[in-house]
Amino acid sequence: MQIKLLFFAQMREAAGAGERTVVVESPITVGECVRGVLAQPEFTKVRDLPFRYAINDEFVGSEQAVEDGSVLAILPPVAGG
Amino acid sequence: MRLTRDRIDPSVFLAVQPAPDCGASAAFLGWVRDHHQGRAVIRIQYECYEALAEKELDRIALEVKQKYFCGTVRILHRIGTIEVGEAAVAIWVSSAHRDESFKACREAIERIKTSVPIWKHEFYQDGSSEWVLCAHPHEVIA
């Protein structure tokens, strides 16, 4: 199945773009999907950050199942305010 | 609307009259300062996951309002490039009594700092720049 990844801040810089479309095996959880993404060499410097995740603009946990066509955001530590 | 790319004008944001049943209001303004951990800051840039940030700011405003029985909770967070001396975030709350307003204002800004998907990129006088990392209860995949 195909999903879209969203990258921000350090992740966007590492990815070289704010989004990326990837094909993954189904079924798959957020955690499994993220592990696969972070294993790519361009993410070496950022892969140990404490991430949060969102699917289709809602926070989710790492055990959440990823559906075909989902938009998965991998969120590094925030610093608003 | 909780996010803006325009300059926040405190005199406009704070020009609010509380409802008649509110005897207190409190405000918090966060400003871009010219130093961070001993380094001279010249400006910051806030990157934002806007769709989720709007939802999270809505959630914070609603939950704080309910928890402290506030009349109103207003939050406005600036994103994009912000110069030193400009406001980055503004919060205004009203409630029947002062204790609730103070507490609501404090809780709102603390929650914004830890959960709203906004990232701060600081630019320094020496030409360098850095993403500011905050300590958050984020999940780590083992």
Side-chain angles (χ1 to χ4, degrees):
Chain A
M1 64 182 182
Q2 187 167 288
I3 65 171
K4 186 160 92 173
L5 302 170
L6 296 184
F7 302 122
F8 297 92
Q10 306 97 311
M11 282 294 286
R12 178 183 50 73
E13 290 183 342
E19 59 182 69
R20 179 185 293 182
T21 300
V22 295
V23 175
V24 296
E25 296 286 326
S26 178
I28 191 168
T29 65
V30 167
E32 291 165 343
C33 190
V34 170
R35 266 194 292 274
V37 173
L38 295 179
Q40 303 300 311
E42 62 268 37
F43 296 110
T44 301
K45 288 183 180 176
V46 293
R47 67 171 54 122
D48 292 330
L49 289 172
F51 294 103
R52 288 184 79 184
Y53 319 106
I55 288 183
N56 300 337
D57 305 334
E58 293 287 352
F59 286 119
V60 295
S62 60
E63 297 305 312
Q64 174 78 35
V66 181
E67 307 288 339
D68 185 32
S70 293
V71 179
L72 170 60
I74 305 174
L75 310 171
V78 300
Chain B
M1 184 197 70
R2 308 286 188 186
L3 299 168
T4 181
R5 291 184 181 276
D6 299 328
R7 189 171 180 152
I8 295 173
D9 182 344
S11 69
V12 173
F13 183 83
L14 299 175
V16 187
Q17 182 70 34
D21 62 345
C22 289
S25 67
F28 173 81
L29 292 166
W31 302 84
V32 178
R33 67 171 180 268
D34 68 357
H35 63 95
H36 178 61
Q37 296 183 338
R39 304 175 74 179
V41 175
I42 55 171
R43 68 179 179 278
I44 67 167
Q45 191 162 27
Y46 277 130
E47 186 168 328
C48 181
Y49 181 1
E50 294 188 35
L52 183 55
E54 287 277 2
K55 286 183 183 179
E56 189 63 11
L57 288 168
D58 278 345
R59 183 162 27 233
I60 290 169
L62 179 63
E63 290 178 4
V64 163
K65 181 181 177 183
Q66 291 174 339
K67 181 175 178 179
Y68 295 104
F69 307 102
C70 297
T72 300
V73 174
R74 299 174 63 223
I75 300 173
L76 188 59
H77 202 300
R78 190 158 169 205
I79 55 177
T81 300
I82 316 179
E83 304 295 331
V84 167
E86 295 182 346
V89 61
I91 302 168
W92 185 92
V93 306
S94 62
S95 57
H97 305 286
R98 66 185 181 281
D99 194 41
E100 288 79 7
S101 280
F102 281 128
K103 287 177 176 171
C105 214
R106 181 65 189 258
E107 182 161 327
I109 185 59
E110 298 303 334
R111 288 186 58 179
I112 287 168
K113 283 179 169 289
T114 56
S115 74
V116 179
I118 294 174
W119 296 271
K120 184 193 288 187
H121 200 181
E122 279 187 337
F123 294 82
Y124 305 103
Q125 190 86 55
D126 63 8
S128 63
S129 67
E130 207 165 87
W131 292 99
V132 176
L133 291 180
C134 290
H136 299 162
H138 285 190
E139 186 169 357
V140 178
I141 294 182

